[in-house]
């Protein structure tokens, strides 16, 4: 045993040495462009991703305000809108196709450019290398490329919104045949028989495909960095749970995005070259048979899309789980409850996430037996999700909680994750989906769990890591003023959507005025809209706090939260190579709080143990666990 | 701050539970044979959801109320890395409840989708297009006339491509209203002409996509007469929100009488009935 450990250490040492040499590959750049624009520093790239997400979330949020305005006061003329969108809102009144382009752009912006970029590309990029003790990502140039490819995808999406003929109207799921032949059916935003390329829907597909490429490159980098560049003593089971979450997410992204990329290319071919991947023969536009198509299947797209789309839900939420675990433990001043179980639960969620995509398709015309299999698998994914919730509560049990702003948002994450996730028990059942499918119940469910909970993970991460990223604290006072209306607001918005769904309100409707059975919901529709306006307004407190604090915030020390992991063992902000040329050595697991006998209530991963033999006894890469084995020294 | 958050969590839990239990916003009463079984499964699931939701929120409120650090507190948190026993018990319990309820949740589904429509079901063909519905009744001979997409001609109001020259088509009628008899199994044979649509009548507790290129056959048995709103539930284009129609469930005698009528008379009768029936279930 000890020989093996010795050997592992030699390998680790060699690795560190080789890696140490790599530090000199790129010294700190001096020019503005290489430093801040085309930077290969993972920290700058991380901030670039964060800023992109902050821009996208602003757009996505304002789009949702417009949608609510149209739903609550249909037919009203909004003079400002006429100035901004003279076609989509002629006379200031939103057209139904304008509403659909809002729906599509909101979903696409939020899912791709917020939920996928910030948690992984943003925080993951910045903190994964630091938390494993590396000086940068494994492939810094690839890292730069992945951001700029993503940015091009973003620009194409913006172009799609403003191109002649209106923005894309196919929804963020882009179901064919609508998304494929919509132009020939004169659906606005879908182009026409002549205009195949420069229209909202085609550009939407191009944007998504570009985004897939960017995410793929990022995923490769994350996986390689985590597996190969951990510093001496950083065994897998000593990694912070954030690293586990980014690692799992990267694996999901690596396997899911290529499928969407392929689907996107096929859809684009259907749109531009009249191929028939997703379009069957025998369709009619009311005057002629669309003889150019034959043999395709609209359901094929749904399989490809959701094979990506369901793992995508976990791509959005897993980093939030990681950040929440990390922050809960830090401010509970207590080790994480069931570290190993947390790691396994995360992997179980990731793995099962690939076998449940069919629950989006129970009513699609897919075989009902297949639907049943997907249904039972779907409900089993609740088990690892529940494990995580128990462990978060277990972490808080017997804690000494410090209610800082990041902690409030982390607690909010737990609450919202439960509230949103638990209704999966309803939607996951084939029988109950017969009524609930495509209603506001679904909107309430996924907005709480993958939208708002994930956003709370990002808020928690921003307030928590801001001092490390910018060397200054964000205002705690403003942070708390931001937290309360946000937390109350999101419940006020999304809880009522569940009962709207039970009554039967269908999603993606530009107006509810046509149906008598929806009349009883009018007061709730109004209530939700008011809640949206207040909640959105409260977000400007966050933006103000963010930018004000970059320049004016109180100066932060290296470790303002008295936390344990490697990012807090370097300066704020960290130097170009993260640790000033000296690779840290890790002696213990990530969450050693309240260790009996230790001089303070936290012991950093880099603090050498009083008994120096500890690392020889149980250290070694991939051998030890974070749990009890990590601290034999203290137990004796 | 911690205590305020705990109180908020509890109040939010109460408000949420009230919203679901108040009965102000709930399903319309069901009108199908499988409706009561659906409603039972829904309520059972919502009870489990409610218990799990409330338990977690109340528990979360409790720990943050109880374990907040006081200013300058010296005492440390409990040093523990977890408890495998508690972990195992909770996991096993969740697995049994979640998967158990999931298996139960296949019952209505199986009843509707695993069995073919019973012999003697009333057959109706459904064709969806942007942005209207066509329901095709076979008439007194109970045989559908031939349809062919090359015959589709919207300006001549031939939305389904019915070959009016074929012998079986003489007594066929295609109208935008779904009319069924009560207490008889109904089989819908559904397709879409252009893009994917979805048929959605809330009191039916039933929804199904209509997919271009596929003929999807479904069945159910209405058990209440009345007139109900019928909507499209799959995004199908700019007028999606207006793709509205009605479902009319008639006493069986009225239905038989109607399908025996020649097409023109059928249409007149239909218009009268749609006007005569108020929305909702009618007492028999």
């Amino acid at each position: 045993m000890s020989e093996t450990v010795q050997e592992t250490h030699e390998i680790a040492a060699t690795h560190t040495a080789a890696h140490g040499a790599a530090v000199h590959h790129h010294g700190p750049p001096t020019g503005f462009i290489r430093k801040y624009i085309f930077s290969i520093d993972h920290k700058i790239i991380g901030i670039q991703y964060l800023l992109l997400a902050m821009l996208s979330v602003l757009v996505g949020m304002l789009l949702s305000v417009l949608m609510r305005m149209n739903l609550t006061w249909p037919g009203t003329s909004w003079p400002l809108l006429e100035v901004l969108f003279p076609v989509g809102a002629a006379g200031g009144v939103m057209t139904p196709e304008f509403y659909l382009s809002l729906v599509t752009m909101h979903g696409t912006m939020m899912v791709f450019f917020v939920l996928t970029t910030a948690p992984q590309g943003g925080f993951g990029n910045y903190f994964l290398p630091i938390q494993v003790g590396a000086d940068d990502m494994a492939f810094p140039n690839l890292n730069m490329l992945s951001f700029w490819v993503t940015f091009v995808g973003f620009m194409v999406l913006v172009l799609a919104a403003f191109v002649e003929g209106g923005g894309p109207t196919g929804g963020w799921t882009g179901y064919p045949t609508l998304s494929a032949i919509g132009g020939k059916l004169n659906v606005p935003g879908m182009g026409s028989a002549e205009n195949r390329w420069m229209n909202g829907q085609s550009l939407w597909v191009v944007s998504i495909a570009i985004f897939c490429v960017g995410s793929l490159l990022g995923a490769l980098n994350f996986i390689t960095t985590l597996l190969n560049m951990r510093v001496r003593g950083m065994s897998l089971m000593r990694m912070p749970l954030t690293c586990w979450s980014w690692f799992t997410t990267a694996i999901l992204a690596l396997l899911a995005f290529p499928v969407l990329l392929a689907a996107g290319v096929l859809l684009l071919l259907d749109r531009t070259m009249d191929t028939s991947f997703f379009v069957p023969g025998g369709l009619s536009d009311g005057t002629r048979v669309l003889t150019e198509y034959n043999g395709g299947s609209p359901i094929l797209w749904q399989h490809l899309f959701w094979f990506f789309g369901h793992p995508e839900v976990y791509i959005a939420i897993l980093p939030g789980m990681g950040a929440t675990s990390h922050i809960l433990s830090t401010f509970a001043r207590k080790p994480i409850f069931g570290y190993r179980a947390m790691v396994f639960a995360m992997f179980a969620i990731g793995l099962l996430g690939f076998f449940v995509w069919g629950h989006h398709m129970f009513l699609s015309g897919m075989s009902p037996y297949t639907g049943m299999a997907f249904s039972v698998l779907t409900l089993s994914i609740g088990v690892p999700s529940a494990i995580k919730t128990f462990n978060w509560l277990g972490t808080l049990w017997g804690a000494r909680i410090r209610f800082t702003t990041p902690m409030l948002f982390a607690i909010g994450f737990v609450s919202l994750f439960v509230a949103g996730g638990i209704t999966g028990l309803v939607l996951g059942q084939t029988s109950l989906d017969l009524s609930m499918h495509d209603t506001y119940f679904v909107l309430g469910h996924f907005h709480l769990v993958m939208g708002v909970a994930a956003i709370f993970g990002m808020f928690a991460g921003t307030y928590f890591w801001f001092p490390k990223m910018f060397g200054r604290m964000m205002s705690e006072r403003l942070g708390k003023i931001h937290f309360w209306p946000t937390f109350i607001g999101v419940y006020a918005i999304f809880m009522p959507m569940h009962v709207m769904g039970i009554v039967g309100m269908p999603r993606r409707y530009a107006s509810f005025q046509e149906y008598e059975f929806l009349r009883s919901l009018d007061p709730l529709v109004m209530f939700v809209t008011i809640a949206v306006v207040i909640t959105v307004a409260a977000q400007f407190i966050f933006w103000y706090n963010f930018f004000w604090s970059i320049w004016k915030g109180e100066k932060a020390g290296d470790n303002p939260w008295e936390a344990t992991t490697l990012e807090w063992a370097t300066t704020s902000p960290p130097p170009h190579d993260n640790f000033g040329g000296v690779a840290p050595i890790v002696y213990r697991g990530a969450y050693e709080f309240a260790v009996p006998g230790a001089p303070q209530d936290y012991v950093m991963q880099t603090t050498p143990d009083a008994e120096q033999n500890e690392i020889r006894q149980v250290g070694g890469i991939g051998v030890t666990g974070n749990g009890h084995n990590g601290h034999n020294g203290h137990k004796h | 701050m911690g205590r305020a958050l705990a109180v908020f969590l509890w109040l939010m839990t109460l408000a949420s539970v009230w919203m679901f239990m108040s009965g102000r916003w709930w399903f319309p009463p069901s009108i199908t044979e499988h409706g009561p079984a659906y409603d039972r499964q829904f309520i059972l699931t919502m009870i489990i959801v409610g218990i799990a939701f409330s338990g977690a929120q109340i528990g979360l409120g409790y720990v943050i109320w109880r374990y907040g650090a006081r200013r300058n507190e010296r005492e440390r948190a409990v040093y523990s890395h977890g408890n495998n026993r508690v972990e195992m018990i909770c996991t096993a319990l969740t697995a049994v409840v979640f998967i158990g309820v999931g298996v139960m949740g296949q019952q209505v589904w199986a009843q509707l989708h695993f069995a073919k429509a019973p012999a003697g079901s009333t057959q109706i063909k459904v064709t969806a297009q942007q942005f209207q519905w066509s329901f095709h009744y076979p008439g007194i001979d109970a045989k559908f006339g031939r349809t062919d997409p090359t015959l589709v001609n919207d300006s001549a109001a031939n939305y389904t491509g019915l070959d009016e020259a074929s012998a079986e088509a003489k007594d066929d009628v295609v109208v935008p209203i779904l009319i069924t008899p009560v207490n008889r199994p109904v089989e819908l044979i559904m397709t879409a002409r252009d893009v994917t649509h979805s048929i959605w009548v809330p009191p039916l507790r039933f929804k199904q996509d209509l997919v271009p290129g596929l003929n999807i056959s479904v069945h159910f048995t209405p058990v209440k007469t009345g007139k109900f709103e019928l909507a499209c539930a799959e995004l199908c284009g700019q007028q999606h929100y207006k793709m509205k129609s009605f479902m009319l469930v008639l006493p069986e005698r009225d239905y038989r009488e109607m399908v025996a009528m020649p097409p023109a008379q059928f249409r007149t009768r239909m218009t009268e009935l749609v006007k005569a029936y108020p929305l909702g279930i009618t007492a028999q």
Side-chain angles (χ1 to χ4, degrees), chain A residues 391 400 430-431 437 509 592, chain B residues 73 79 87 105-106 207 232:
Chain A
N391 288 358
R400 288 290 173 274
T430 46
S431 301
H437 189 81
Y509 267 33
E592 288 305 296
Chain B
E73 185 174 83
Y79 184 67
E87 197 105 52
Q106 309 306 319
K207 190 180 287 146
C232 178

Side-chain angles (χ1 to χ4, degrees), chain A residues 100-119:
Chain A
L100 288 184
S101 67
L102 294 177
V103 169
T104 307
M105 292 299 289
H106 169 81
T108 311
M109 277 281 172
M110 292 300 204
V111 172
F112 291 97
F113 292 95
V114 179
L115 297 176
T116 313
T117 55

Side-chain angles (χ1 to χ4, degrees), chain B residues 112-192:
Chain B
L112 288 174
H113 281 294
F114 291 0
K116 284 208 161 115
S121 298
T122 307
Q123 287 191 320
I124 301 164
K125 281 192 174 180
V126 189
T127 303
Q129 74 186 75
Q130 291 177 331
F131 300 92
Q132 69 184 54
W133 302 91
S134 296
F135 298 96
H136 180 175
Y137 303 83
I140 200 151
D141 66 353
K143 286 193 183 119
F144 290 102
R146 193 179 76 90
T147 55
D148 180 344
T150 58
L151 298 175
V152 167
N153 186 347
D154 281 1
S155 48
N158 189 352
Y159 304 112
T160 59
L162 180 64
D163 177 6
E164 278 157 17
S166 73
E168 289 86 9
K170 295 285 182 226
D171 58 347
D172 286 15
V173 59
V174 181
V175 291
I177 308 285
L178 173 59
I179 307 166
T180 72
V182 72
N183 293 327
R184 297 274 296 179
V186 175
E187 180 180 13
L188 302 180
I189 303 151
M190 311 200 291
T191 192

Side-chain angles (χ1 to χ4, degrees), chain A residues 465-486:
Chain A
W465 281 311
F466 188 92
K468 185 53 63 180
M469 291 192 283
F470 298 103
R472 290 174 187 271
M473 307 295 288
M474 282 179 84
S475 159
E476 272 289 303
R477 198 185 151 85
L478 287 178
K480 280 166 184 160
I481 296 175
H482 169 225
F483 170 76
W484 283 102
T486 307

Side-chain angles (χ1 to χ4, degrees), chain A residues 7-183:
Chain A
E7 206 173 279
T8 322
H9 271 285
E10 274 163 24
I11 294 166
T14 324
H15 168 75
T16 314
H19 179 56
V23 169
H24 305 290
H25 270 323
H26 59 92
T30 44
F32 180 81
I33 293 195
R34 290 294 290 174
K35 195 169 176 188
Y36 293 113
I37 310 290
F38 296 106
S39 171
I40 54 171
D41 181 344
H42 70 101
K43 296 186 288 298
I44 298 294
I45 297 170
I47 291 172
Q48 288 173 327
Y49 267 113
L50 280 184
L51 293 176
L52 176 63
M54 282 172 73
L55 176 63
S56 307
V57 81
L58 178 67
V59 175
M61 235 172 44
L62 294 177
L63 295 176
S64 64
V65 174
L66 290 178
M67 286 191 276
R68 293 308 309 178
M69 280 160 49
N70 191 48
L71 292 177
T72 315
W73 301 284
T76 308
S77 174
W78 311 89
L80 184 62
L81 267 187
E82 190 179 12
V83 180
L84 290 172
F85 303 98
V87 179
V93 180
M94 290 180 233
T95 57
E97 53 268 29
F98 182 73
Y99 180 83
L100 288 184
S101 67
L102 294 177
V103 169
T104 307
M105 292 299 289
H106 169 81
T108 311
M109 277 281 172
M110 292 300 204
V111 172
F112 291 97
F113 292 95
V114 179
L115 297 176
T116 313
T117 55
Q120 184 80 356
F123 295 119
N125 230 318
Y126 199 112
F127 288 103
L128 179 129
I130 304 184
Q131 286 189 338
V132 299
D135 62 317
D136 202 330
M137 281 283 189
F139 311 115
N141 284 301
L142 199 65
N143 202 15
M144 172 178 76
L145 196 63
S146 66
F147 172 76
W148 284 104
V149 169
T150 306
F151 186 77
V152 170
F154 175 81
M155 293 310 288
V156 174
L157 186 65
V158 173
L159 182 64
F162 290 102
V163 83
E164 200 180 324
T169 50
W172 86 277
T173 51
Y175 277 14
T177 51
L178 178 64
S179 61
I181 64 167

Side-chain angles (χ1 to χ4, degrees), chain B residues 256-269:
Chain B
R256 294 275 156 247
E257 194 185 318
M258 200 167 159
V259 287
M261 292 172 180
Q265 215 181 328
F266 183 108
R267 288 201 181 86
T268 320
R269 181 88 180 110

Side-chain angles (χ1 to χ4, degrees), chain A residues 452-464:
Chain A
V452 179
I455 294 265
F456 266 56
M458 290 179 229
F459 278 138
T462 307
Y463 285 106
F464 181 68

